[in-house]
Amino acid sequence: MAKIFCVANQKGGVGKTTTTVNLAAGLAKIGQRVLMIDLDPQGNATMGSGIDKRTLELTIYDVLLENASISEARVKSDKLIDAGCSFDILGANRDLAGAEVELVDVERREKRIKQAIDAVANEYDFVLIDCPPSLSMLTLNGLCSANGVIVPMQCEYFALEGLTDLVNTIKQVHANLNPDLQIIGLLRVMYDPRITLQQQVSEQLKNHFGDKVFNTVIPRNVRLAEAPSYGLPGVAFDPSARGSQAFVEFATEMVERIKTM
Ligand code: ATP
Ligand code: MG
């Protein structure tokens, strides 16, 4: 049965999508069966996995509106198959921006993704959900579906401040909607050890959150930033890059973590 994880942080541009697609590719590379769900109308995770969001016939939007099941809407990427780290993709595009409004009056709307995932959960080891940069209904939908949250963060001063809001939201969802939900861990990303402030914030994080901070640290690495323009996660685009190796290491750490869940 698949373990379901949201990659969430309401701050924009902190590395959510990079984490989702590279963790998905890293897990696939070490033999895990993965479904990646793009829950962001920007469709970055879709494009970054080699799928043109403009040509998709069915997306997460259709699943949310119960016009399609996940088995009907998921796709595979030829580029990922060629690179030897293929995972299934439930894509998103701008249509999804409308879902927020269209679902306002719908019953059990926060359970729809979960129900759709349940129907395919035995086909996967991991389901990874890339959330948009907000604590909107879409993110809430994601959180209601998940066993855990992975929070990518840069080791900067304001990162800690934003974390309080996210932690409170997760607590509320846990208390009211999804008792399964927990923070799996904080992932330090775009890390540059030469910057003293980053070292300090990293230490603060470890002191405050203890073993909720993943051991793996993702370095700032230009190959990870270049990869999306080729429609590939860094792990597939340049497996030898330091950033890609870190994500494979993170995938291994995740496989270990779920054994204790
Ligand atoms: P949004 O909030 O808009 O969804 P996001 O949190 O998903 O953004 P990303 O799109 O993953 O963030 O990353 C933001 C930018 O930082 C991108 O240009 C990405 O390529 C770059 N980036 C992410 N991680 C790294 C890294 N480890 N090293 C270098 N660049 C990175
Ligand atoms: Mg993103």
Side-chain angles (χ1 to χ4, degrees):
M1 202 65 148
K3 289 282 179 219
I4 305 162
F5 299 102
C6 277
V7 179
N9 187 330
Q10 78 278 20
K11 234 169 114 71
V14 291
K16 293 178 288 295
T17 301
T18 305
T19 299
T20 310
V21 298
N22 281 286
L23 175 58
L27 286 167
K29 199 167 174 160
I30 59 173
Q32 301 293 304
R33 301 165 303 163
V34 183
L35 169 67
M36 194 281 293
I37 300 180
D38 191 349
L39 196 54
D40 185 344
Q42 294 181 98
N44 293 342
T46 305
M47 299 293 280
S49 305
I51 301 296
D52 187 344
K53 62 183 177 185
R54 292 155 299 199
T55 61
L56 273 177
E57 281 176 23
L58 294 169
T59 66
I60 179 68
Y61 171 76
D62 300 282
V63 173
L64 268 168
L65 293 189
E66 297 182 336
N67 292 333
S69 64
I70 291 181
S71 17
E72 289 164 335
R74 68 189 164 190
V75 294
K76 284 190 193 294
S77 152
D78 292 335
K79 287 185 184 175
L80 288 176
I81 293 171
D82 290 345
C85 47
S86 179
F87 50 87
D88 286 358
I89 299 151
L90 177 55
N93 55 32
R94 283 171 59 190
D95 292 347
L96 184 58
E100 200 99 35
V101 179
E102 286 166 63
L103 288 173
V104 162
D105 289 327
V106 167
E107 265 178 59
R108 54 177 184 83
R109 57 173 187 261
E110 70 284 347
K111 301 267 193 256
R112 288 196 169 192
I113 298 181
K114 173 73 173 123
Q115 277 172 353
I117 292 173
D118 283 347
V120 293
N122 60 358
E123 296 175 44
Y124 299 103
D125 301 301
F126 286 86
V127 178
L128 302 178
I129 305 175
D130 186 31
C131 291
S134 65
L135 294 174
S136 62
M137 197 211 70
L138 287 172
T139 301
L140 202 63
N141 250 286
L143 294 176
C144 287
S145 323
N147 302 113
V149 190
I150 296 167
V151 184
M153 56 183 302
Q154 289 170 258
C155 290
E156 290 169 350
Y157 177 69
F158 287 119
L160 290 170
E161 219 166 71
L163 213 51
T164 316
D165 292 338
L166 183 62
V167 169
N168 285 337
T169 304
I170 291 168
K171 278 188 186 153
Q172 278 176 24
V173 173
H174 173 85
N176 300 311
L177 296 162
N178 177 7
D180 267 359
L181 190 68
Q182 50 171 313
I183 293 190
I184 300 302
L186 308 175
L187 178 66
R188 291 163 285 172
V189 299
M190 299 192 222
Y191 189 71
D192 185 345
R194 291 167 303 182
I195 301 174
T196 313
L197 176 68
Q198 295 209 1
Q199 287 175 15
Q200 288 168 351
V201 173
S202 176
E203 280 311 309
Q204 278 175 12
L205 277 178
K206 279 197 282 188
N207 291 338
H208 198 266
F209 290 96
D211 61 6
K212 288 279 182 202
V213 182
F214 288 111
N215 294 327
T216 310
V217 177
I218 309 297
R220 184 171 282 284
N221 178 227
V222 70
R223 300 300 270 172
L224 291 176
E226 286 169 353
S229 61
Y230 297 87
L232 282 170
V235 167
F237 172 62
D238 183 355
S240 66
R242 273 191 326 122
S244 307
Q245 289 177 350
F247 271 113
V248 176
E249 194 183 315
F250 180 45
T252 311
E253 187 176 355
M254 280 302 294
V255 170
E256 284 306 311
R257 281 260 174 149
I258 65 163
K259 288 184 185 156
T260 61
M261 280 178 74

